[in-house]
Amino acid sequence: KAGVTQTPRYLIKTRGQQVTLSCSPISGHRSVSWYQQTPGQGLQFLFEYFSETQRNKGNFPGRFSGRQFSNSRSEMNVSTLELGDSALYLCASSQKGLESGELFFGEGSRLTVL
Amino acid sequence: AQKITQTQPGMFVQEKEAVTLDCTYDTSDPSYGLFWYKQPSSGEMIFLIYQGSYDQQNATEGRYSLNFQKARKSANLVISASQLGDSAMYFCAMRRISNFGNEKLTFGTGTRLTIIP
C-alpha cells in the first residue's frame, strides 16, 4: 500500500512569489491535513480537508490556502512568500471516524524562501 | 486550549538500554487521544503508539509502550532495548476526540534521542 506522497520534496523560492505543494493521500483515506514545521515554532496545524471541504483551520494568515480534489488529493498554496515561510510542510492522511486518529504523514516538502 | 510539554530537548542513551521520553499535557476536553511520533532525519513523521483517554490499559506496540497516568496528565513513551535506528526526534501529540472528524493534532517541541553504540 503506497504511503502519503508529497511533491515537490525540495523547492527554493524568492520573497513575493507564490508556491503550490501537492499531497496524495493513502488510497481510501479521505481526510488530508497540513502542518508547518519550523525550528522556532515547531509543528503547527494549517488546515484539514475532508471530501473537498475544509473542516478545520489553524491560525495562519490568508496567504495560506488549500483545496482538496474529488480523488482526495490535496494542494496547499502560499502566496506572497515571506522569509518566515521557510519550513518543512507535512501532509497527513487518515480515515474518517478512525478513533485512534492515526495520521500517516508524508516525507514533507521543504520550502526555502530567499 | 491544549498544550503538550516535552521537557527533554535531547537525550543520549546506550544501545540496548531502555529509555523513557517524558510528555505532560494540559486539556479541558474529557475525551482525547495521545500520540507519539518519530521523525528521522528524512523528515517523515512515523506513528508509534496511541492512547485514548478512556483506555484502561497502557498502550503497547512492540518495543514501545506508553506509560499513561491520567491524574498526573502524563503520557511518557518507553522504548525497551534501544537500537541505533531509534536515533531520531520524538514528538508527543494530542487531539480532542469528537464526532466531527479529525481534530488538529497539537504537538510538543520534541526530544532528540541519540543512541550510543
Side-chain angles (χ1 to χ4, degrees), chain B residues 47-114:
Chain B
F47 169 79
L48 296 178
I49 198 167
Y50 166 83
Q51 179 86 41
S53 57
Y54 291 111
D55 293 343
Q56 297 298 314
Q57 306 246 357
N58 285 345
T60 60
E61 289 284 348
R63 293 187 300 113
Y64 305 107
S65 61
L66 200 152
N67 184 2
F68 181 46
Q69 298 186 47
K70 193 171 182 178
R72 299 179 64 181
K73 293 190 174 180
S74 77
N76 298 340
L77 177 70
V78 180
I79 306 174
S80 63
S82 58
Q83 303 169 356
L84 296 178
D86 293 334
S87 294
M89 281 290 286
Y90 288 80
F91 290 94
C92 180
M94 74 177 299
R95 74 174 183 92
R96 178 174 57 190
I97 294 175
S98 74
N99 294 325
F100 300 101
N102 291 311
E103 300 279 344
K104 68 173 185 177
L105 275 176
T106 298
F107 286 88
T109 51
T111 296
R112 182 170 295 282
L113 176 64
T114 303

Side-chain angles (χ1 to χ4, degrees), chain A residues 96-112:
Chain A
K96 176 181 180 292
L98 187 66
E99 191 178 67
S100 74
E102 183 176 339
L103 296 187
F104 296 86
F105 283 84
E107 291 187 302
S109 293
R110 189 170 294 278
L111 169 66
T112 300

Side-chain angles (χ1 to χ4, degrees), chain A residues 35-45 59-60 84-89, chain B residues 4 91 105-110:
Chain A
Y35 290 80
Q36 181 197 63
Q37 186 177 23
T38 60
Q41 300 297 319
L43 281 148
Q44 293 188 293
F45 172 76
N59 297 322
F60 279 81
D85 297 333
S86 295
L88 179 67
Y89 290 88
Chain B
I4 295 281
F91 290 94
L105 275 176
T106 298
F107 286 88
T109 51

Side-chain angles (χ1 to χ4, degrees), chain B residues 12-46:
Chain B
F12 291 85
V13 174
Q14 204 74 38
E15 189 180 7
K16 298 181 184 177
E17 288 186 351
V19 57
T20 298
L21 304 181
D22 295 340
C23 172
T24 57
Y25 61 91
D26 189 25
T27 183
S28 57
D29 297 310
S31 183
Y32 52 89
L34 295 155
F35 305 77
W36 277 92
Y37 283 88
K38 171 184 178 182
Q39 187 178 41
S41 56
S42 64
E44 182 181 3
M45 298 286 282
I46 302 169

